[in-house]
Amino acid sequence: MKKDQMLPGRRSVMRLGACLGAAATAGLLFTERAPTAAGTEAALPVGGPRAVAHRPVKASAYRLQPMTAISPPRFGRAMPPVRRQPILKMAEAGRTMVLTFDDGPDPRYTPDILSTLRKYQVPAMFFVCGEMAADNRDLICEMADDGHVVGNHTWSHPLIPKLPPSRIRDELSRTSEVIEETTGSPPLWYRAPFGAWNKHSFEIGAQLGMEPLAWTLDTRDWTEPGTKTIVRRVLNGAGPGVVVLSHDAGGDRSQSVAALRRYLPELLDAGYRITVPRR
């Protein structure tokens, strides 16, 4: 026998030790299993029962409820990303535009705007203030029934950057509650008053499930420039994906009502399709 050859007995012992070591190593790489009350096995993470031991969590509206064999699973709404700036233009294909109305609803002007939209069978977006919505729930219902999008425009129309985060949350959440109570669905879009956004408004809006939408074209109807001026601004600024800002409350909006009656049929005759964004 040569010097470097191993005795058969010694070789067998070493083979046995190697097998045992491999088995022990494999046991660390796989999930352990523990018996359940039903007598079956349930998977536990590596580390055993201590790794999953914790106090039970109380169910709430913000947590998924456990699935059962007799009811379908309930899933939470997907939260939108936290943006650094609002959406200014819709990425719609073709000659599409979006009409939006802020500050309402106002029983003096909103019904006439709804009537014109209904006449031409086009949808729009209404960014409502909570204090106005709470007093005019019938108009909110009419908006939803006609297929319009009801968005959040805060409760009292404040200047957002001057508010602490807690106040921003209160302004947005209270308005969302009124909209959901009235229409049965929470708002998916919000707009900051005066177009004044900040980091906190983007974060809180996303936490409440809303996307921030600004505008491409400002009619400046709130300055009451005259019906002809409003019509000219809309027609001159028309284009694919353009979001038009008008108002149905917050002052004398009779010019806004009259302007809509004039520029809406002209937009349609020019081949534009009036639509609302989908999520």
Side-chain angles (χ1 to χ4, degrees):
M1 179 180 296
K2 295 182 180 180
K3 274 188 174 183
D4 57 353
Q5 285 183 324
M6 192 177 297
L7 293 174
R10 185 180 178 186
R11 188 158 50 237
S12 300
V13 171
M14 294 191 69
R15 284 178 178 171
L16 178 60
C19 291
L20 292 174
T25 302
L28 294 175
L29 297 178
F30 287 97
T31 302
E32 295 180 4
R33 306 198 69 83
T36 64
T40 58
E41 290 185 335
L44 294 175
V46 174
R50 287 188 180 181
V52 294
H54 57 76
R55 286 180 292 181
V57 180
K58 294 182 179 180
S60 73
Y62 299 97
R63 292 186 179 274
L64 292 178
Q65 300 298 321
M67 292 189 295
T68 67
I70 59 175
S71 63
R74 296 172 60 188
F75 300 97
R77 285 187 298 131
M79 295 296 102
V82 177
R83 298 186 181 273
R84 295 183 179 180
Q85 61 181 9
I87 299 170
L88 302 175
K89 188 175 183 179
M90 302 311 300
E92 296 281 352
R95 292 166 66 84
T96 60
M97 291 180 60
V98 178
L99 303 181
T100 68
F101 300 89
D102 286 10
D103 297 355
D106 188 319
R108 295 172 296 175
Y109 309 109
T110 304
D112 288 334
I113 290 177
L114 289 171
S115 177
T116 300
L117 296 171
R118 191 179 303 118
K119 175 181 178 181
Y120 293 98
Q121 299 182 337
V122 299
M125 300 182 74
F126 289 85
F127 286 93
V128 303
C129 290
E131 59 185 5
M132 297 291 288
D135 292 336
N136 298 281
R137 292 176 184 258
D138 56 330
L139 291 175
I140 299 296
C141 289
E142 191 173 342
M143 292 173 186
D145 291 343
D146 284 357
H148 304 301
V149 172
V150 182
N152 189 324
H153 199 41
T154 72
W155 183 266
S156 61
H157 205 275
L159 190 61
I160 289 291
K162 290 186 175 294
L163 303 182
S166 59
R167 176 75 185 283
I168 298 173
R169 179 175 294 277
D170 183 63
E171 286 278 334
L172 291 174
S173 61
R174 288 179 67 193
T175 304
S176 288
E177 288 173 4
V178 170
I179 294 173
E180 184 169 10
E181 289 172 0
T182 307
T183 68
S185 299
L188 301 179
W189 301 89
Y190 75 105
R191 176 176 284 169
F194 311 105
W197 315 77
N198 65 2
K199 175 183 176 182
H200 296 304
S201 68
F202 291 129
E203 293 173 347
I204 294 170
Q207 291 168 6
L208 295 174
M210 299 184 292
E211 284 272 34
L213 180 65
W215 55 85
T216 319
L217 170 62
D218 186 355
T219 64
R220 296 181 61 82
D221 59 341
W222 55 272
T223 64
E224 300 178 26
T227 300
K228 291 183 179 180
T229 300
I230 298 173
V231 172
R232 185 180 69 251
R233 287 172 178 171
V234 172
L235 297 180
N236 289 344
V242 165
V243 178
V244 181
L245 168 63
S246 299
H247 297 79
D248 62 328
D252 183 350
R253 299 294 172 248
S254 57
Q255 294 177 5
S256 304
V257 172
L260 176 65
R261 293 191 183 120
R262 290 179 53 181
Y263 67 69
L264 179 53
E266 291 196 39
L267 289 175
L268 296 175
D269 289 342
Y272 284 101
R273 182 171 65 91
I274 307 304
T275 185
V276 291
R278 302 294 180 184
R279 281 186 54 202

